[in-house]
């Protein structure tokens, strides 16, 4: 498959960042925007991106605070990042899009869709929650403390334990664990500073003001996800006007690395309005209408 990539350098609010648009081979589907997690750079979507390109153009970004973009102080909240995403899409995709938000990026995607529902067809949120509380908040704060103290081995262990399950049955677990260990272990001082900024932002700015997201939403996560658990993700779905929830079998928080073909299949079915019934790789899809699963 032949693709064409365009890198779009931008400045928003005094911070430089980059968008990336890759033209697919057609298929009639609106562009798919991928907003990734804390360790997700714009060019690191791997098979998820490659499989989507057979059906649509794909847009990714290093928003302020991510990847190659400028560091973004933690006092800038999720609304600023949603506005930066809007700024990018004004340049590369002024028409309607489908939106995928994963992990840390799910809050940004959710907020942008709240602010610009006229620009969004459908939203897929992968590994999301409405807020960080209790023991999970303490563990995330602990990762900040370890990074600040330069205790990198302990920091690496904490990050891996937050994202990767120790339960049996997670597919490609050993390979993904090696990949994440190498990624975290190779973090530069600048990378650690961005992690600290982004994590403090997550803790200080929940990013959910209770506004209803009016467009169709599908929320999913790995059935063994220790961070954004199925319970927390289902609760996030229940805050949308019209949402569906399912958990991907044999996966944890890094579901896009462990079950990429399944995530793409689920996304394409949802974006096209096709049935989600009877899919063997996920739990039965629940239709959630403002807090009521059925």
């Amino acid at each position: 498959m032949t693709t064409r990539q365009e890198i779009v350098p931008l400045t928003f609010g005094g911070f430089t960042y980059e968008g990336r648009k890759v033209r697919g081979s057609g298929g009639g589907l609106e562009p798919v925007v991928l907003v990734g997690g804390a360790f997700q750079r714009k060019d690191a979507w791997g098979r998820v991106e490659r499989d989507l390109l057979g059906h649509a153009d794909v847009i990714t970004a290093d928003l302020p605070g991510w990847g190659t973009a400028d560091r973004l102080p933690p006092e800038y909240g999720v609304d600023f990042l949603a506005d930066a995403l809007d700024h990018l899409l004004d340049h590369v995709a002024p028409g309607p899009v489908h939106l995928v938000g994963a992990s840390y990026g799910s809050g940004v995607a959710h907020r942008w869709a709240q602010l610009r529902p006229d620009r969004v067809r459908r939203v897929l949120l992968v590994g999301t929650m409405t807020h960080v509380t209790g023991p999970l908040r303490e563990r995330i704060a602990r990762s900040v403390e370890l990074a600040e103290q330069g205790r990198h081995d302990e920091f690496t262990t904490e990050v891996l334990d937050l994202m990767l399950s120790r339960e049996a049955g997670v597919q490609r677990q050993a390979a993904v664990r090696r990949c994440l260990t190498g990624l975290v272990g190779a973090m530069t001082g600048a990378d650690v500073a961005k992690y600290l900024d982004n994590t403090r932002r997550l803790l200080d700015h929940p990013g959910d003001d209770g506004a209803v997201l009016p467009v169709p939403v599908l929320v999913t996560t790995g059935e063994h996800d220790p961070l954004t658990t199925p319970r927390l993700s289902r609760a996030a779905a229940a805050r949308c006007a019209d949402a569906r929830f399912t958990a991907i079998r044999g996966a944890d928080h890094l579901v896009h690395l462990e079950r990429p073909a399944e995530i793409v299949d689920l996304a394409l079915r949802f974006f096209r309005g096709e049935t989600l019934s009877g899919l063997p790789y996920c739990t039965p899809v629940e239709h959630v209408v403002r807090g009521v699963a059925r």
Side-chain angles (χ1 to χ4, degrees):
M1 178 176 62
T2 301
T3 60
R4 182 161 57 90
Q5 173 179 285
E6 176 187 5
I7 302 297
V8 183
L10 294 167
T11 300
F12 181 77
F15 299 92
T16 62
Y17 71 110
E18 285 187 342
R20 174 174 169 272
K21 182 173 184 177
V22 186
R23 299 194 179 277
S25 60
L29 196 65
E30 291 89 345
V32 176
V33 181
L34 304 176
V35 187
F39 299 102
Q40 187 85 48
R41 292 175 178 260
K42 65 181 181 297
D43 55 356
W45 282 92
R47 183 174 174 181
V48 169
E49 177 183 295
R50 291 195 299 272
D51 288 357
L52 285 171
L53 285 170
H55 308 272
D57 295 347
V58 173
I59 298 164
T60 64
D62 281 344
L63 293 172
W66 261 279
T68 59
D70 283 346
R71 182 175 171 181
L72 184 68
E75 57 264 29
Y76 287 84
V78 174
D79 277 17
F80 181 87
L81 290 166
D83 288 341
L85 178 62
D86 191 59
H87 181 63
L88 165 65
L89 294 177
D90 280 345
H91 283 78
V92 301
V97 299
H98 293 293
L99 184 61
V100 178
S103 191
Y104 179 85
S106 66
V108 180
H110 183 277
R111 186 58 178 152
W112 182 72
Q114 283 181 323
L115 296 171
R116 296 302 306 272
D118 57 305
R119 296 282 305 280
V120 185
R121 291 289 192 231
R122 293 188 169 215
V123 179
L124 171 62
L125 301 177
V126 184
T128 190
M129 66 178 82
T130 58
H131 54 281
V132 183
T133 59
L136 179 58
R137 185 179 185 87
E138 294 172 7
R139 290 194 61 194
I140 293 174
R142 174 64 174 164
S143 76
V144 169
E145 179 183 334
L146 292 170
E148 287 176 327
Q149 295 174 356
R151 296 158 64 180
H152 203 73
D153 289 345
E154 294 171 83
F155 168 71
T156 300
T157 298
E158 187 67 34
V159 168
L160 264 64
D161 284 345
L162 277 168
M163 295 187 178
L164 299 177
S165 172
R166 294 189 179 275
E167 296 184 35
V170 179
Q171 297 191 18
R172 302 188 67 224
Q173 187 178 63
V176 171
R177 184 173 290 275
R178 286 194 301 272
C179 177
L180 186 59
T181 299
L183 182 65
V184 177
M187 290 174 70
T188 65
D191 293 331
V192 172
K194 287 178 180 177
Y195 174 85
L196 291 172
D197 289 339
N198 290 335
T199 306
R200 292 188 181 110
R201 190 176 357 268
L202 177 68
L203 295 173
D204 296 342
H205 302 276
D208 184 357
D209 61 1
V212 175
L213 182 57
V215 302
V217 179
L218 173 61
V219 177
T220 190
T221 193
E223 65 175 343
H224 302 294
D225 189 342
L227 180 60
T228 53
T229 64
R231 179 181 64 83
L232 291 172
S233 295
R234 185 184 287 107
R239 299 175 71 90
C240 302
D242 180 13
R244 286 152 182 80
F245 170 78
T246 186
I248 304 296
R249 302 187 192 279
D252 53 31
H253 190 66
L254 297 183
V255 59
H256 69 286
L257 295 177
E258 294 156 350
R259 306 299 305 270
E262 289 79 6
I263 281 290
V264 171
D265 182 69
L266 185 67
L268 291 174
R269 287 174 182 272
F270 177 61
F271 293 158
R272 290 170 173 157
E274 298 173 356
T275 182
L276 302 178
S277 299
L279 301 177
Y281 54 78
C282 61
T283 60
V285 176
E286 306 167 30
H287 189 195
V288 183
V289 181
R290 293 296 289 163
V292 182
R294 61 187 185 188

